[in-house]
Amino acid sequence: MHENENFTHWVASIERGDCGFTYLRLYGDAPTWVRNEAINRFGKGTVFLPPRQSRPPAAAA
């Protein structure tokens, strides 16, 4: 699925906390499906931190 491949592009940071919690920070312009995918991947112990402003521009290849 194309969306799954792009999931990491919308994630600003992931940290594993105590008691099985996963702290996830998405970029502010992340689409709704990214939040749903995060819950599917990390479960009910997913804690969403305030979003970053937006993704940094892509690096020139």
Side-chain angles (χ1 to χ4, degrees), residues 13-43:
S13 65
I14 298 176
E15 293 182 31
R16 301 286 181 169
D18 295 336
C19 302
F21 289 102
T22 300
Y23 296 92
L24 186 71
R25 185 183 309 270
L26 301 175
Y27 289 108
D29 55 349
T32 304
W33 67 262
V34 176
R35 187 177 179 93
N36 296 336
E37 180 64 23
I39 294 170
N40 288 338
R41 287 186 185 201
F42 305 115

